[in-house]
């Protein structure tokens, strides 16, 4: 159930048992394609060209059911996912949801999912950039675990609620906490980065 074989060679964060997922991508692609679109492109290309290549990173900033549904789960069918992703430049790791209204055990389990799959894909030669999810303040003691210090990280703003003024303070607090804990050298933003908090980070060299 928890795919222990994926983390046979992993290092784990003491206290949370979340595996460390290295950032193995040396080049950041200019194009991102959702995993749902990547699957569609794979079906179109694989029959005519088994060695096809798409010059893009696959991302998971989509509804969980599109990559973790009953028949399409990347967690329960990882080998097919691996073969698909070999045709792309790399991935931003899966964004299993950690919504604020989720039960705490689910948020912890989904954080674990993110790092395990990322570690396993990186171990199998897929260039990986870590996706960072945080919730409200109680998640900060584990949600950054397993992401290397001073690496490239990715976040999504498209479904973060940041567009609503009442949600922005919580988002900004989590973003600044991520920077404090991880000190990322580069942050990839999926969605709009046209907010003051990102200008503050850019002014500070990120």
């Amino acid at each position: 159930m928890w795919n222990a074989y994926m983390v046979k060679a992993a290092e784990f964060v003491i206290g949370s048992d979340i595996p460390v997922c290295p950032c193995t991508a040396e080049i950041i692609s200019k194009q991102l394609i959702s995993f749902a679109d990547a699957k569609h492109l794979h079906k179109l290309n694989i029959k005519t060209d088994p060695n096809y290549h798409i010059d893009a990173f696959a991302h998971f900033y989509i509804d969980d059911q599109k990559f973790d549904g009953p028949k399409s789960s990347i967690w329960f069918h990882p080998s097919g996912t691996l073969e698909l992703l070999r045709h792309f430049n790399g991935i931003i790791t899966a964004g299993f949801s950690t919504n604020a209204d989720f039960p705490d055990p689910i948020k912890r389990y989904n954080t674990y999912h993110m790092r395990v799959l990322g570690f396993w894909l990186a171990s199998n030669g897929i260039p990986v950039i870590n996706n960072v999810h945080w919730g409200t303040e109680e998640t900060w003691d584990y949600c950054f675990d397993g992401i290397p210090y001073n690496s490239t990280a990715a976040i999504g703003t498209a479904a973060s609620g940041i567009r609503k003024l009442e949600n922005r303070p919580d988002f900004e607090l989590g973003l600044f906490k991520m920077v404090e804990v991880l000190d990322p050298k580069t942050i990839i933003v999926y969605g709009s980065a046209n907010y003051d908090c990102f200008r503050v980070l850019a002014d500070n060299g990120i």
Side-chain angles (χ1 to χ4, degrees):
M1 286 295 293
W2 56 282
N3 292 357
Y5 69 92
M6 287 185 170
V7 290
K8 288 177 75 172
E11 296 181 13
F12 293 86
V13 177
I14 296 173
S16 68
D17 279 344
I18 291 174
V20 175
C21 175
C23 176
T24 58
E26 297 180 359
I27 298 174
I28 300 173
S29 287
K30 293 183 179 180
Q31 186 175 7
L32 297 175
I33 295 178
S34 76
F35 182 69
D37 289 338
K39 288 199 300 181
H40 178 68
L41 289 170
H42 183 68
K43 289 180 181 179
L44 287 177
N45 287 284
I46 193 64
K47 292 181 180 179
T48 57
D49 182 8
N51 298 312
Y52 82 90
H53 183 78
I54 303 293
D55 186 18
F57 263 50
H59 73 79
F60 295 82
Y61 296 114
I62 53 179
D63 290 341
D64 288 34
Q65 64 187 11
K66 293 182 178 179
F67 62 85
D68 196 34
K71 297 180 180 179
S72 61
S73 174
I74 60 175
W75 181 251
F76 291 110
H77 306 288
S79 58
T81 301
L82 173 62
E83 292 310 310
L84 183 158
L85 293 174
R86 291 192 191 280
H87 296 276
F88 292 80
N89 288 349
I91 66 158
I92 293 173
T93 56
F96 294 96
S97 292
T98 55
N99 297 6
D101 59 349
F102 280 17
D104 184 67
I106 298 298
K107 289 186 280 191
R108 290 177 183 268
Y109 188 48
N110 282 348
T111 301
Y112 179 84
H113 274 161
M114 290 186 230
R115 304 294 184 270
V116 170
L117 274 167
F119 171 81
W120 182 73
L121 290 168
S123 300
N124 281 277
I126 303 296
V128 164
I129 294 171
N130 277 292
N131 176 42
V132 188
H133 270 200
W134 63 85
T136 43
E137 192 169 347
E138 75 276 1
T139 69
W140 295 354
D141 67 336
Y142 63 85
C143 67
F144 309 121
D145 285 358
I147 298 176
Y149 186 78
N150 198 222
S151 64
T152 297
I155 64 172
T157 61
S160 67
I162 191 175
R163 286 182 293 181
K164 295 183 178 180
L165 287 175
E166 62 268 27
N167 295 333
R168 205 164 296 173
D170 282 340
F171 178 89
E172 292 177 348
L173 283 171
L175 177 65
F176 293 140
K177 184 65 177 181
M178 180 194 79
V179 171
E180 176 188 330
V181 173
L182 299 179
D183 190 25
K185 61 182 179 182
T186 301
I187 299 174
I188 298 170
V189 181
Y190 181 79
S192 175
N194 189 28
Y195 298 99
D196 289 342
C197 55
F198 292 112
R199 285 188 278 273
V200 169
L201 299 184
D203 290 342
N204 282 278
I206 297 176

